[in-house]
Amino acid sequence: MARNYAINCRLTFCILALVIMTASDYILYIRWIYSMNNYKWYAGAIIFPLVGLFMFWIPTIYMSYISKTITNDDKNLNQKKMFIMGFLDSTNSIIATFAIPFLSVPLMTILDKSSLPITMLCSYIWLKRRYYKSHYLGAFLTIYGILLPLIMWRGNVIANPFWVSMYILSIIPGSISYCYKEKWMKLTDVSLWWMNAWVSLWQVLVGLLTLPIILIPGLTVAHTPNISIIDYLLAATKCQFLGINTLDGDNCEFASIWMISYQTICTIVNIMMLVIMKDSSSVMFLVINTIKTPITALLGSYASIAGKAASPGTTADLMSFVMLLVAGGVYYYKKEISLDPNITGHQGLPSPTRHSDLGNPLIDPSDINFKKL
C-alpha cells in the first residue's frame, strides 16, 4: 500500500504541474515562432531539437560517466526505435511551425484536441487497447467540439483552411509518437534522459534532411523570395541569437528570450509527460491537455501575453471549450482495456516497466530508479 501511494503521489504531482506549465509552455512557444516568422524551418527543424540535444546530453553524460546512475542496462532501446521517435517528433514540429503564424491561440488550442481520437486509433492498433462506449462518446464529443468553431463563422478559419489542415496534419505524427514511446517505455526499463538525448539527436539529423524546404517560395521567408540557403541560415542565426533584423518582416528583438524560456519549460514538461506515460498512459497526457485548454485560451485572448497571436474569445470558442471539457470527463469516466498482457497500463493505474513485473497488476516503486529522472 505504501509503495503504491508513493508512485501515485509522483503521478499526481506531475499531473497538477503539467496542467499549469503546459499553458505557459504553449504561449511561449507561439511567441517564439512569431518572432522567427521568416525563419520557421530554422526554428522548428534545427533550433528546437538542438537546444533539447544540449539540455538532455549534458545530464546524460554526467549520469553515465560520473555519477554512474545510467548503466548499460538502462539503455534498452536500439537506435532504430530512437530514429523512429526522432522522425515522428521532427515531422510534428516542422509541420506545426509552418501553420502557427496563420492561426490564433484559441483556435489552435481547440484543434489540438484532435489528438485524442487520433491517439485512440493508434492505441487500438499498436497497443491493443479496447474502449467502452463512454470512450467512443468522449471521442465523438471531442470531434464535435473541434468542429463547432469551424462550422460557425470565423473569419480566420474561412480565410486559412489550408493552414487549419496543416496544423491538424502535424498532430498525426505527434500522436503516433506518444503511443510508440509509451509502448517501449513500458516494455523496457529505459532511462528517460538517455532516450530523450538520442531522440533529440535524430531530430536534428532529420531536420537537416528537410533543408530544401526553405527554397519553396512563400513557405518560409514571407517577404524575401529567392533568398539563397546561405543567406537564409545567416539571417536566421542573427535573428535567433543576436536579435538582429535582416529581412523585411523580421521581428527578432526578443527571439532568444522567447526561445530560452520556452525550451526550459518544454524540457521539464517533456520529462513529466514521459513519467506520466510510463506510470499511466499516453491518453492521460491528452486528458491533461484538455483540462488546460481554457487556461491557455484565456491567456491567448490578451495581446499583452500572446502578442500577434492573441484573439478575443467568441461564443463559438466558449461552446467548444465546454464541449471539450465534457468530452474529457466522459472519456475519463472509465479506464481503457488492454488486450496485451505486456502493456497493462490504464488511465490512473501505474504500469509494469519490466517483463518480470508482468505478474503484478501494479508497478512496484522499488523497481524504479528515480535517479534516472
Side-chain angles (χ1 to χ4, degrees):
M1 182 66 70
R3 292 177 175 180
N4 293 339
Y5 176 78
I7 195 163
N8 285 333
C9 285
R10 181 173 76 153
L11 184 60
T12 301
F13 171 78
C14 288
I15 290 173
L16 294 176
L18 272 180
V19 170
I20 299 173
M21 296 185 67
T22 50
S24 57
D25 169 79
Y26 200 99
I27 298 297
L28 289 171
Y29 176 64
I30 292 172
R31 293 300 298 264
W32 173 42
I33 296 303
Y34 265 78
S35 70
M36 297 288 289
N37 180 51
N38 275 332
Y39 315 104
K40 296 184 286 290
W41 173 87
Y42 185 81
I46 302 299
I47 298 301
F48 177 74
L50 190 62
V51 175
L53 189 69
F54 286 105
M55 293 184 115
F56 284 114
W57 268 109
I58 292 175
T60 295
I61 293 174
Y62 174 82
M63 289 186 284
S64 296
Y65 299 102
I66 299 178
S67 66
K68 305 292 184 180
T69 52
I70 296 180
T71 65
N72 290 332
D73 292 336
D74 301 322
K75 305 172 183 178
N76 291 326
L77 293 184
N78 59 41
Q79 289 304 315
K80 179 181 178 180
K81 295 182 178 64
M82 297 291 100
F83 168 77
I84 293 175
M85 295 177 191
F87 173 80
L88 292 171
D89 290 345
S90 182
T91 303
N92 165 250
S93 175
I94 292 173
I95 298 177
T97 299
F98 288 133
I100 284 174
F102 300 95
L103 304 172
S104 67
V105 173
L107 178 60
M108 283 186 283
T109 58
I110 292 171
L111 295 177
D112 276 338
K113 301 295 97 56
S114 59
S115 56
L116 177 58
I118 295 173
T119 302
M120 282 182 65
L121 178 61
C122 175
S123 296
Y124 186 94
I125 298 172
W126 183 247
L127 302 178
K128 293 184 171 63
R129 284 212 173 96
R130 297 298 180 262
Y131 303 96
Y132 291 103
K133 292 180 179 179
S134 60
H135 294 131
Y136 291 110
L137 177 59
F140 171 79
L141 293 175
T142 297
I143 296 174
Y144 181 72
I146 294 171
L147 291 176
L148 272 176
L150 303 181
I151 296 173
M152 301 179 71
W153 183 266
R154 285 183 62 105
N156 60 330
V157 174
I158 301 302
N160 298 289
F162 174 76
W163 296 115
V164 172
S165 301
M166 282 283 286
Y167 193 79
I168 295 176
L169 179 64
S170 73
I171 295 173
I172 296 177
S175 298
I176 296 174
S177 178
Y178 289 152
C179 295
Y180 194 81
K181 290 175 182 176
E182 179 186 347
K183 178 171 183 175
W184 294 115
M185 283 191 299
K186 288 181 176 179
L187 292 180
T188 58
D189 190 20
V190 62
S191 166
L192 301 184
W193 289 101
W194 180 86
M195 185 183 77
N196 273 290
W198 279 103
V199 169
S200 297
L201 177 59
W202 282 115
Q203 279 185 268
V204 173
L205 296 178
V206 171
L208 290 173
L209 293 177
T210 64
L211 181 63
I213 288 178
I214 68 176
L215 299 176
I216 301 177
L219 189 59
T220 52
V221 180
H223 304 282
T224 309
N226 303 320
I227 187 173
S228 68
I229 291 179
I230 298 300
D231 289 340
Y232 172 89
L233 294 176
L234 289 175
T237 301
K238 289 191 292 184
C239 178
Q240 178 63 88
F241 297 103
L242 300 177
I244 298 176
N245 296 326
T246 303
L247 305 180
D248 293 338
D250 276 0
N251 183 31
C252 305
E253 288 81 0
F254 301 101
S256 59
I257 295 177
W258 296 126
M259 183 268 291
I260 293 173
S261 301
Y262 164 69
Q263 290 285 0
T264 300
I265 294 183
C266 179
T267 300
I268 299 173
V269 168
N270 194 32
I271 288 295
M272 289 185 174
M273 176 192 75
L274 294 176
V275 170
I276 288 175
M277 286 195 296
K278 190 171 185 177
D279 290 348
S280 181
S281 79
S282 56
V283 181
M284 167 68 83
F285 179 70
L286 301 177
V287 171
I288 294 171
N289 271 341
T290 300
I291 297 174
K292 63 93 177 178
T293 295
I295 301 175
T296 305
L298 178 62
L299 296 176
S301 65
Y302 294 97
S304 59
I305 298 177
K308 295 181 181 179
S311 176
T314 65
T315 302
D317 293 331
L318 178 60
M319 293 173 61
S320 179
F321 295 145
V322 171
M323 185 60 65
L324 291 172
L325 289 174
V326 172
V330 170
Y331 185 94
Y332 191 56
Y333 181 71
K334 287 185 178 181
K335 303 176 180 66
E336 310 120 312
I337 303 170
S338 178
L339 300 182
D340 189 342
N342 295 328
I343 305 176
T344 58
H346 305 319
Q347 294 180 39
L349 282 178
S351 309
T353 56
R354 299 192 183 96
H355 292 289
S356 59
D357 297 324
L358 296 181
N360 300 324
L362 296 175
I363 189 172
D364 185 343
S366 63
D367 289 334
I368 297 179
N369 184 355
F370 286 90
K371 292 181 180 180
K372 293 187 219 169
L373 308 181

